[in-house]
């Protein structure tokens, strides 16, 4: 029998991709690629560009940032958003009618991502803060003690003023990544942004690998899962185009869940520890994975429940502490980043229940009597934190019986956190979407995901601001979301099933 060499395998993959690229099946991929190219071109003038950009000046393109040039750039960028949303919804119709395949989703991801690898940061300026925080560690400062303002350099010019005095709220693993980037490129913002985006790619690849496996494990469809949590514009445009460390965190967390479900809890818990060392939110998954490990010990080794739980808990804690300690030692930092998590209180928008409630009380109550908005906001946020503290243990105890319940518990825990934390940003919603992608695959759920993701996508502005205080912007955004929802809700539904070789939990 002939054996397949690595070169033969690569050639076959290239041949399959080339065949796909010219097929009718690839029409959404090609359309989305056009949208991503428009986003990349429009972003030069309307994106989250540098305040002082000698690169654009050297290319004689600085006119794109002002006057009629800015108008043209904005038109191109928003046209790109619209085209990508249309392509995504087009694929969503195939998900609902059961004709989508995992290969189509993975190949389409490559088509959509390729142009964005060259774009400026989109819809956020956080990448400049990442680079400035990495430079702090590079230059001998502790980013958990001082803000970027303590280390004057050209990177600081592009950091949003609100974050120049704020200490880093990210774990040691991500600070190490940012330090590595700034060591390689110095204070070069353009090269640093490109390299930092490439550092997010492993997170995307892990998500592509893990999401369909988790879906098949619980009897769901892998292609639908990829459509929800990989091709979603909140991931492609915000996490990759915007260069957010959530991409690394979500990918590591989903890989940890997939490996734990597959009977490799040691590696799973280790990856959770690394994910937490990127961003703390991934820690919400660990207590639920202890239940999964406990059931595996109980069923495979015939251990009593209490003993299995004790072993799984002790082992999880030891592995987590060991991995996290090593990463902290490599970075040369402590746990000061935990206190910086409260820095999000500086953000005020309508994306969480406490801030939305405070805004409504101020808007409506202010018509009848004087309202101290910040006092109301503080009380609302305290109530929100109390809701999180109460809900998380209840969810952990309620969703403990099966792997599907554990997945449900993780997703609901993340929904509670995103809704009731003091402040949230659009890309925060990628956390629960990634975990819940295997659980929300009915036609109404997919239509709801389409409407919600479209609303968030259109509400945010390319420079990182939002339009929630403009009635015209809100109405336009809501109309777009309604169209997206309706376009999928009316598609005839066909029952989707996992692959024949999948492992389905009963």
């Amino acid at each position: 029998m002939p054996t397949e060499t690595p070169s033969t395998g690569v050639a076959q993959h290239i041949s399959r991709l080339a065949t796909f690229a010219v097929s009718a099946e690839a029409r959404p991929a090609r359309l989305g690629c056009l949208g991503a190219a428009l986003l990349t071109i429009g972003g030069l003038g309307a994106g989250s560009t540098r305040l002082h950009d000698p690169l654009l000046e050297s290319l004689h393109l600085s006119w794109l940032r002002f006057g009629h040039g800015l108008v043209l750039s904005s038109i191109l960028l928003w046209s790109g958003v619209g085209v990508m949303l249309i392509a995504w919804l087009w694929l969503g119709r195939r998900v609902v009618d059961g004709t989508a395949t995992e290969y189509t989703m993975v190949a389409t991801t490559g088509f959509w991502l390729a142009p964005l690898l060259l774009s400026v940061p989109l819809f956020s300026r956080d990448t400049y803060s990442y680079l400035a925080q990495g430079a702090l560690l590079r230059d001998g400062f502790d980013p958990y003690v001082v803000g970027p303002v303590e280390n004057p350099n050209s990177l600081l010019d592009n950091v949003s003023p609100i974050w120049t005095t704020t200490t880093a709220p990210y774990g040691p693993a991500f600070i190490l990544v940012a330090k590595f980037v700034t060591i390689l490129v110095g204070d070069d913002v353009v090269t640093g942004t490109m390299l930092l985006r490439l550092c997010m790619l492993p997170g995307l690849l892990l998500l592509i690998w893990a999401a369909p496996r988790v879906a098949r494990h619980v009897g769901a469809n892998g292609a639908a899962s990829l459509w929800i949590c990989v091709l979603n514009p909140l991931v492609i445009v915000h996490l990759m185009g915007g260069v957010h460390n959530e991409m690394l965190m979500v990918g590591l967390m989903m890989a940890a869940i997939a490996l734990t479900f597959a009977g490799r809890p040691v590696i799973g818990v280790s990856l959770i520890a690394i994910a937490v060392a990127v961003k703390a939110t991934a820690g919400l998954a660990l207590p639920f994975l202890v239940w999964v490990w406990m059931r595996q010990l109980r069923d495979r080794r015939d251990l009593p429940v209490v003993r299995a739980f004790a072993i799984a808990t002790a082992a999880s804690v030891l592995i987590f502490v060991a991995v996290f300690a090593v990463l902290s030692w490599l970075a040369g930092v402590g746990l000061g980043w935990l206190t910086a998590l409260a820095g999000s209180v500086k953000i005020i928008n309508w994306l969480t229940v406490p801030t939305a409630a405070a805004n409504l009380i101020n808007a409506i109550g202010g018509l009848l009597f004087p309202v101290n908005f910040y006092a109301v906001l503080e009380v609302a946020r305290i109530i929100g934190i109390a809701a999180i503290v109460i809900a998380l243990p209840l969810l952990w105890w309620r969703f403990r019986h099966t792997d599907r319940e554990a997945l449900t518990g993780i997703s609901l825990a993340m929904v509670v956190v995103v809704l009731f934390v003091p402040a949230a940003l659009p890309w925060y919603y990628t956390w629960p979407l990634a975990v819940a992608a295997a659980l929300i695959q009915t036609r109404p759920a997919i239509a709801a995901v389409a409407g919600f993701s479209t609303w968030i996508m259109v509400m945010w502005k390319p420079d990182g601001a939002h339009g929630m205080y403009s009635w015209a912007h809100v109405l336009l955004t809501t109309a777009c979301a309604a169209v997206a929802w309706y376009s999928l809700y009316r598609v005839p539904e066909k029952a989707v099933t996992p692959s024949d070789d999948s492992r389905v939990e009963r």
Side-chain angles (χ1 to χ4, degrees), residues 364-418:
I364 299 173
L367 299 175
L368 305 175
F369 48 82
V371 175
N372 186 331
F373 171 73
Y374 290 100
V376 173
L377 180 63
E378 183 176 357
V379 172
R381 285 175 166 176
I382 291 173
I383 296 173
I385 295 297
I388 293 173
V389 171
I390 294 170
L392 292 185
L394 294 177
L395 290 172
W396 176 72
W397 182 252
R398 165 62 181 83
F399 295 99
R400 69 186 189 278
H401 302 99
T402 65
D403 290 356
R404 186 182 185 88
E405 283 198 4
L407 199 65
T408 304
I410 297 170
S411 60
L412 289 177
M414 291 194 168
V415 168
V416 168
V417 169
V418 172

Side-chain angles (χ1 to χ4, degrees), residues 55 114 120 124 158 169 200 215 314 378 383 403 506:
L55 178 61
V120 303
S124 172
N158 301 287
M200 302 300 117
E378 183 176 357
I383 296 173
D403 290 356
R506 301 296 183 187

Side-chain angles (χ1 to χ4, degrees), residues 93-116:
R93 295 175 70 88
R94 295 183 180 179
V95 168
V96 174
D97 67 21
T99 60
T101 66
E102 288 185 22
Y103 182 80
T104 296
M105 298 299 173
V106 174
T108 299
T109 303
F111 274 77
W112 293 6
L113 181 63
L116 291 175

Side-chain angles (χ1 to χ4, degrees), residues 146 201 209 233 246 270 283 403 422 461:
V146 299
L201 271 180
W209 176 85
E246 266 85 359
S270 300
D403 290 356
K461 297 180 181 180

Side-chain angles (χ1 to χ4, degrees), residues 31-264:
L31 182 63
C33 184
L34 172 62
L38 291 173
L39 264 168
T40 299
I41 297 170
L44 290 173
S48 302
T49 51
R50 300 170 61 187
L51 297 178
H52 306 288
D53 203 320
L55 178 61
L56 286 181
E57 293 173 2
S58 65
L59 296 174
H60 304 289
L61 293 175
S62 57
W63 59 273
L64 289 172
R65 302 178 59 197
F66 309 100
H68 296 304
L70 178 57
V71 172
L72 175 61
S73 298
S74 299
I75 292 173
L76 289 173
L77 189 145
W78 281 113
S79 297
V81 170
V83 170
M84 289 198 74
L85 284 171
I86 291 170
W88 183 58
L89 295 172
W90 191 354
L91 271 179
R93 295 175 70 88
R94 295 183 180 179
V95 168
V96 174
D97 67 21
T99 60
T101 66
E102 288 185 22
Y103 182 80
T104 296
M105 298 299 173
V106 174
T108 299
T109 303
F111 274 77
W112 293 6
L113 181 63
L116 291 175
L117 293 178
L118 301 175
S119 75
V120 303
L122 299 171
F123 296 91
S124 172
R125 304 182 66 85
D126 281 5
T127 183
Y128 304 129
S129 298
Y130 298 159
L131 293 172
Q133 289 158 0
L136 280 173
L137 191 60
R138 176 199 66 189
D139 296 338
F141 296 90
D142 188 340
Y144 302 151
V145 176
V146 299
V149 72
E150 299 295 328
N151 186 30
N153 53 51
S154 58
L155 295 173
L156 190 60
D157 295 339
N158 301 287
V159 180
S160 297
I162 193 175
W163 302 125
T164 54
T165 58
T166 304
T167 55
Y170 312 115
F174 183 71
I175 293 297
L176 270 176
V177 170
K179 175 186 177 182
F180 167 75
V181 170
T182 56
I183 287 175
L184 288 181
V185 305
D187 295 339
D188 188 326
V189 177
V190 175
T191 310
T193 297
M194 298 298 180
L195 183 56
L196 197 58
R197 182 181 279 121
L198 291 178
C199 291
M200 302 300 117
L201 271 180
L204 181 64
L205 295 176
L206 285 173
L207 185 59
I208 291 172
W209 176 85
R213 284 170 171 76
V214 171
R216 292 193 295 267
H217 181 79
V218 298
N221 181 268
S225 183
L226 289 169
W227 181 84
I228 291 169
C229 71
V230 173
L231 286 163
N232 193 310
L234 293 181
V235 175
I236 295 294
V237 178
H238 273 291
L239 293 194
M240 288 304 300
V243 197
H244 286 290
N245 56 13
E246 266 85 359
M247 189 74 262
L248 276 178
M249 185 270 286
V250 170
L252 287 164
M253 178 182 66
M254 288 302 296
I257 294 172
L259 288 167
T260 304
F261 283 173
R264 299 179 179 178

Side-chain angles (χ1 to χ4, degrees), residues 227-458:
W227 181 84
I228 291 169
C229 71
V230 173
L231 286 163
N232 193 310
L234 293 181
V235 175
I236 295 294
V237 178
H238 273 291
L239 293 194
M240 288 304 300
V243 197
H244 286 290
N245 56 13
E246 266 85 359
M247 189 74 262
L248 276 178
M249 185 270 286
V250 170
L252 287 164
M253 178 182 66
M254 288 302 296
I257 294 172
L259 288 167
T260 304
F261 283 173
R264 299 179 179 178
V266 173
I267 302 176
V269 173
S270 300
L271 289 181
I272 283 290
I274 299 173
V276 173
V278 173
K279 198 160 189 175
T281 315
L284 294 171
L286 182 58
F288 293 93
L289 295 185
V290 169
W291 291 128
V292 177
W293 196 351
M294 180 209 74
R295 288 193 300 274
Q296 292 173 357
L297 291 172
R298 179 197 64 192
D299 298 339
R300 298 174 184 178
R301 300 188 181 182
D302 198 26
L303 295 177
V305 172
V306 174
R307 185 179 177 187
F309 177 77
I311 293 174
T313 302
S316 297
V317 171
L318 287 174
I319 294 169
F320 183 91
V321 171
V323 172
F324 203 91
V326 169
L327 291 171
S328 297
W329 173 74
L330 289 174
V333 296
L335 297 177
W337 63 286
L338 293 174
T339 60
L341 294 176
S344 63
V345 298
K346 297 179 179 180
I347 303 170
I348 300 177
N349 58 43
W350 291 70
L351 290 185
T352 66
V353 173
T355 49
N359 275 297
L360 286 173
I361 292 171
N362 182 60
I364 299 173
L367 299 175
L368 305 175
F369 48 82
V371 175
N372 186 331
F373 171 73
Y374 290 100
V376 173
L377 180 63
E378 183 176 357
V379 172
R381 285 175 166 176
I382 291 173
I383 296 173
I385 295 297
I388 293 173
V389 171
I390 294 170
L392 292 185
L394 294 177
L395 290 172
W396 176 72
W397 182 252
R398 165 62 181 83
F399 295 99
R400 69 186 189 278
H401 302 99
T402 65
D403 290 356
R404 186 182 185 88
E405 283 198 4
L407 199 65
T408 304
I410 297 170
S411 60
L412 289 177
M414 291 194 168
V415 168
V416 168
V417 169
V418 172
L419 288 179
F420 290 96
V421 289
L425 292 164
W427 43 94
Y428 287 17
Y429 288 89
T430 61
W431 314 339
L433 276 177
V435 183
L439 308 171
I440 50 176
Q441 297 192 359
T442 63
R443 181 179 62 186
I446 288 174
V449 168
F452 174 77
S453 300
T454 299
W455 193 91
I456 294 289
M457 191 71 236
V458 179

